[in-house]
Amino acid sequence: MIDAINEMKIYTYPDPVLKTKAEPITEIDEDLQALIDRMIEVMYSAPGVGLAANQVGVLKRLIVFDRNPKEGERDPVALINPEIVLGEDEIKWDEACLSVIDFTAEVVRKAQVKVRGLDRHGNPFDIEAEDLLGVCLQHEIDHLDGILFIDHISSLKRALYKKKLKKMQKEK
Ligand code: NI
């Protein structure tokens, strides 16, 4: 596991790991702490404001994100087995994803959410969020269920992206 952590890479669409539902975490041990630390490094170096374990090929219900994504100072948080327990109103947000290269699209999300999970030490942890952070949490929790933001857009737009991706791969 340690080797896998050191050599961590971000998997990109259409890798099947991104379409697979992650399993709940039952043990909070040293390996998990190492995984969290490495995911936070990988997130910031990408750079990104959130990362789900599926994206680095680990099918565990774990996300990391920055609590103040707009501020200058880093405030990384890990959330284990996160669940959206409350969602109110709707907001349209222009989303991108480290696993969906060179593409953004508008997605309809909940405007305010309350998310419940465990912190990195296994203590109950609730977070209420809106705007960028709220959207980020919904996006990352989707990853744990094998859902990408492009699954929320029209099939026409998704087809256009697939076409663009094929073209990019040919040009490589
Ligand atoms: Ni993403």
Side-chain angles (χ1 to χ4, degrees):
M1 174 128 181
I2 295 300
D3 278 353
I5 289 172
N6 289 335
E7 289 159 25
M8 188 176 281
K9 67 157 189 165
I10 296 177
Y11 288 74
T12 59
Y13 176 85
D15 196 289
V17 77
L18 298 168
K19 287 269 164 213
T20 310
K21 213 172 145 107
E23 294 292 326
I25 291 174
T26 51
E27 217 174 313
I28 293 165
D29 55 12
E30 270 175 40
D31 276 357
L32 185 70
Q33 301 306 319
L35 174 66
I36 289 168
D37 287 337
R38 186 73 183 114
M39 276 177 63
I40 289 169
E41 280 174 21
V42 168
M43 171 181 79
Y44 283 124
S45 66
V49 292
L51 191 66
N54 302 48
Q55 292 182 275
V56 295
V58 178
L59 288 169
K60 289 184 178 174
R61 299 190 79 81
L62 166 68
I63 63 171
V64 297
F65 56 94
D66 192 292
R67 204 192 323 228
N68 291 305
K70 279 184 200 160
E71 309 286 320
E73 245 171 68
R74 289 177 173 182
D75 188 6
V77 180
L79 201 51
I80 295 165
N81 301 337
E83 265 178 83
I84 295 167
V85 290
L86 210 70
E88 277 175 357
D89 304 328
E90 286 190 342
I91 191 172
K92 276 187 186 164
W93 205 269
D94 213 17
E95 291 188 32
C97 177
L98 297 172
S99 295
V100 180
I101 44 174
D102 286 335
F103 190 66
T104 61
E106 210 169 60
V107 178
V108 177
R109 296 287 190 182
K110 292 292 179 195
Q112 296 102 30
V113 288
K114 185 173 177 183
V115 175
R116 179 164 291 166
L118 300 174
D119 71 10
R120 63 183 298 162
H121 306 295
N123 303 309
F125 185 77
D126 279 10
I127 183 166
E128 282 177 42
E130 54 183 19
D131 297 331
L132 176 57
L133 182 56
V135 169
C136 169
L137 288 169
Q138 291 169 78
H139 177 123
E140 301 312 332
I141 293 170
D142 263 1
H143 274 300
L144 303 181
D145 290 321
I147 298 165
L148 297 174
F149 81 93
I150 52 172
D151 295 318
H152 290 294
I153 64 178
S154 73
S155 51
L156 179 68
K157 277 190 197 158
R158 198 163 46 243
L160 284 173
Y161 176 63
K162 286 181 188 172
K163 212 171 150 184
K164 183 183 168 181
L165 193 64
K166 262 193 192 146
K167 202 172 159 232
M168 286 191 300
Q169 280 161 347
K170 264 187 205 160
E171 284 164 0
K172 256 185 201 168

